[in-house]
Amino acid sequence: MNLNHLTIKQASEGIRKKDFSVTELVSDCFCAIKEKDSEIHAYLEIFEESARADAKKRDEEISHHNDAELSSLPALFGIPLAIKDNILIEGSRATAGSKMLAHYHALYDATVIKKLKKQRAIFLGKTNMDEFAMGSSTENSAFGFSRNPHDLSRVPGGSSGGSAAAVAADMCIAALGSDTGGSIRQPASFCGIAGFKPTYGQVSRHGLIAMASSLDQIGPMAKTVEDAHILFEAIRGQDECDSTTIKELNYELGIKNQELRNLKIGVPKEYFSEGLDVDVKAVITEALEKAKRAGARIEEITLPHSRFALPAYYIIVPSEVSANMARFDGIRYGYSVSAANRHEQRTTLTDTNSKDTRRDAENLYDVYTKTRAQGFGTEVKRRIMLGTYALSAGYYDAYYVKAQKVRRLITQDFDNAFKNVDIIAGPTMPMLPFRFGERTENPLQMYLADVYTVAVNLAGLPAVSVPAGAVTRLGSKLPVGLQFIGSHGKDQKLLSIARQFEQLT
Ligand code: GLN
């Protein structure tokens, strides 16, 4: 067996038992990347040299370990991970899928990266994404789209499509993504893997390039829910660099074993209405039947304001986007006119004859003007304009304030539902992975892909997409994800239920 096919759990056991070395594990991941990534394009950049060097260090570190020392290694010791390109790793490029940041190198580690480094995980590279995480297919990446490993003519979902494709094609053991309105769960569903969006505030956003700050959350994407749980445990926790992280006290801690028997699963009738692909519906219905046979009680519930979630999301997100994107004015990131000028002045003063340095300065200026002219892609520009409009005097009350009120009602819907059920379940996506270009013409068509995922972010709840089955279409077996939504702060309960369910499918 190729080691790159292993889960975190298996790989970590193998390392501890010395069945194989970290070097071999990392090596098999790079073999897979070399074999498949020219077609799939999950990665924007790979760190082959540093990852191999780190692997060697890990092997040296444990070469003299006794059994007790080996068994007390951190859960992610030596585990090769892929990181979405909007998460900062000091010294590495972080483009967020945008030309605007094509030359930006991170000056510090995101808190999640610090935590993973502490566990001595290994970073294989940065993964492709829709520009600044705006999109559902990776087609909005400024660096070309990624393909779905299950059918190369279809999208992997977005915006964390690169991470999902890398996990699904075994080009890493697990990955990190970010989710503002579904960007972890959607690609997880399309690529047939597990993707978890934690309760807002469970995971620090420090070092995550912001899209919409009141909704963004980093989370794990993995081959199993168990792996997602392990990765989540490694990255979660209050952080003084992100004041929106919540105290440990307010969360339930520790991995619980939750039985499906007698569990009450609420199925919102609004999540099975028009627009849901009939084959997706059949897979979800069958999966819920399995949970029922395992002893769970399935109950129809209502989330009456569901149909307002998408419109409210597409007011609130662009509003926050328009504020967050304002910092990318071309002066602070990449090459700037002033940097080019300073460079030229300095060289003029010290060495007036150096044609080379002068040409360097001109090149810098050239890169700058090109970057600025190319700047943001269409979707980002669209959201800046929509958001600026929604926030402008005269429209603020009619749009932004109203959307915030709707957000409150959506949160109340969930609060009411959780008075009677343990968990809520439904489809993650209303459709199967679509073909390239199918939804790019009309932005509303793309937005409709978010219909079942955005309410969770508006309410700040935890939710996970778990592979539920597949549909054969035109010769391809296309995965379908089932979404479980938990109540606020009950991430552990949610994950342990999802793990039980995973055993059934
Ligand atoms: N597809 C959604 C959007 O475009 C979600 C994006 C995300 O979660 N980052 O806004």
Side-chain angles (χ1 to χ4, degrees):
M1 183 188 184
N2 295 333
L3 302 173
N4 55 305
H5 290 265
L6 299 176
T7 62
I8 295 181
K9 182 83 187 301
Q10 295 163 334
S12 143
E13 270 169 22
I15 293 170
R16 277 153 223 259
K17 287 203 221 134
K18 301 209 172 169
D19 291 341
F20 47 81
S21 65
V22 178
T23 303
E24 287 167 320
L25 179 62
V26 165
S27 206
D28 280 4
C29 290
F30 281 120
C31 279
I33 292 172
K34 271 170 204 159
E35 191 195 322
K36 304 180 204 175
D37 207 39
S38 52
E39 224 164 19
I40 293 176
H41 188 45
Y43 284 92
L44 288 178
E45 188 166 10
I46 57 167
F47 307 141
E48 188 163 2
E49 212 174 296
S50 62
R52 284 186 191 275
D54 285 345
K56 215 171 141 201
K57 273 191 227 150
R58 305 291 178 271
D59 286 329
E60 274 158 20
E61 181 182 338
I62 57 171
S63 60
H64 302 295
H65 272 16
N66 60 31
D67 286 350
E69 285 165 328
L70 285 170
S71 65
S72 60
L73 287 172
L76 293 168
F77 181 92
I79 301 297
L81 302 173
I83 307 294
K84 187 175 181 179
D85 204 31
N86 57 354
I87 299 172
L88 306 189
I89 302 180
E90 187 183 345
S92 301
R93 208 193 329 253
T95 68
S98 180
K99 289 231 164 85
M100 198 57 98
L101 291 177
H103 306 284
Y104 171 66
H105 285 74
L107 299 174
Y108 60 94
D109 280 329
T111 297
V112 292
I113 295 298
K114 268 195 204 131
K115 285 176 182 274
L116 294 173
K117 281 187 175 171
K118 215 165 158 195
Q119 293 219 359
R120 273 104 77 220
I122 291 184
F123 305 119
L124 297 175
K126 302 296 288 293
T127 54
N128 195 19
M129 55 184 285
D130 287 293
E131 183 172 12
F132 288 106
M134 300 174 208
S136 308
S137 66
T138 75
E139 289 166 294
N140 294 338
S141 168
F143 306 109
F145 49 76
S146 304
R147 293 175 189 275
N148 191 319
H150 295 273
D151 177 341
L152 297 175
S153 69
R154 293 175 190 267
V155 304
S159 65
S160 317
S163 287
V167 174
D170 294 309
M171 295 192 285
C172 62
I173 303 299
L176 286 187
S178 69
D179 191 311
T180 304
S183 277
I184 288 176
R185 291 159 286 152
Q186 292 173 345
S189 171
F190 274 9
C191 291
I193 64 163
F196 173 52
K197 180 222 124 28
T199 294
Y200 182 80
Q202 279 271 32
V203 177
S204 168
R205 291 178 295 109
H206 178 65
L208 169 70
I209 296 173
M211 174 183 166
S213 309
S214 78
L215 302 112
D216 298 341
Q217 197 62 188
I218 297 175
M221 305 179 77
K223 293 171 194 175
T224 61
V225 178
E226 184 176 33
D227 273 9
H229 206 160
I230 296 171
L231 192 44
F232 168 60
E233 279 299 319
I235 58 173
R236 58 179 289 284
Q238 198 184 4
D239 179 16
E240 60 179 18
C241 297
D242 173 2
S243 59
T244 62
T245 51
I246 305 181
K247 283 202 189 85
E248 299 272 334
L249 233 68
N250 298 335
Y251 289 112
E252 118 200 303
L253 296 175
I255 296 179
K256 286 213 176 64
N257 251 343
Q258 184 83 43
E259 278 194 44
L260 281 181
R261 205 149 21 101
N262 291 330
L263 204 77
K264 254 197 195 169
I265 303 182
V267 178
K269 62 171 195 266
E270 293 82 2
Y271 286 20
F272 288 84
S273 53
E274 65 167 315
L276 176 61
D277 181 291
V278 284
D279 291 333
V280 172
K281 186 174 177 179
V283 171
I284 298 297
T285 311
E286 172 56 26
L288 290 172
E289 272 304 311
K290 277 187 194 145
K292 200 168 166 184
R293 286 198 289 274
R297 284 186 290 163
I298 310 285
E299 238 168 69
E300 188 182 87
I301 59 162
T302 174
L303 298 170
H305 298 94
S306 290
R307 69 195 176 96
F308 303 118
L310 205 61
Y313 175 88
Y314 275 101
I315 295 290
I316 292 169
V317 165
S319 301
E320 293 191 25
V321 160
S322 75
N324 275 329
M325 293 301 118
R327 66 174 68 102
F328 300 107
D329 50 18
I331 292 172
R332 294 171 182 83
Y333 301 89
Y335 295 102
S336 68
V337 174
S338 56
N341 282 346
R342 268 202 310 275
H343 187 86
E344 188 163 20
Q345 270 167 14
R346 207 167 40 236
T347 52
T348 327
L349 284 175
T350 52
D351 178 9
T352 33
N353 295 324
S354 165
K355 281 202 192 106
D356 280 353
T357 39
R358 189 174 287 270
R359 199 174 325 117
D360 277 353
E362 277 164 17
N363 283 343
L364 283 177
Y365 185 75
D366 200 38
V367 171
Y368 161 75
T369 41
K370 278 199 187 115
T371 309
R372 285 292 290 146
Q374 289 166 344
F376 292 129
T378 317
E379 183 58 29
V380 178
K381 283 186 197 156
R382 182 179 296 125
R383 293 200 196 194
I384 294 172
M385 307 244 280
L386 280 172
T388 311
Y389 181 80
L391 290 177
S392 59
Y395 295 104
Y396 180 81
D397 287 333
Y399 293 104
Y400 184 74
V401 171
K402 197 176 257 173
Q404 290 291 17
K405 287 180 182 164
V406 171
R407 184 176 191 174
R408 183 75 238 147
L409 293 172
I410 285 163
T411 309
Q412 272 165 11
D413 279 358
F414 281 114
D415 289 347
N416 289 337
F418 282 119
K419 282 184 193 144
N420 297 313
V421 299
D422 293 290
I423 201 162
I424 293 172
T428 307
M429 298 295 283
M431 74 272 284
L432 292 165
F434 44 90
R435 289 172 186 278
F436 293 100
E438 238 174 60
R439 287 173 183 265
T440 41
E441 287 302 305
N442 179 352
L444 283 181
Q445 281 300 314
M446 193 67 91
Y447 298 169
L448 281 174
D450 308 335
V451 66
Y452 300 136
T453 49
V454 295
V456 160
N457 301 72
L458 290 172
L461 303 178
V464 58
S465 179
V466 191
V471 172
T472 306
R473 201 163 278 183
L474 301 170
S476 300
K477 256 185 114 184
L478 304 173
V480 173
L482 182 135
Q483 177 174 227
F484 282 118
I485 305 170
S487 58
H488 196 266
K490 299 275 191 282
D491 302 49
Q492 305 290 354
K493 180 177 176 183
L494 167 69
L495 286 169
S496 68
I497 293 170
R499 277 165 76 164
Q500 299 300 318
F501 171 81
E502 191 176 44
Q503 304 294 322
L504 302 176
T505 48

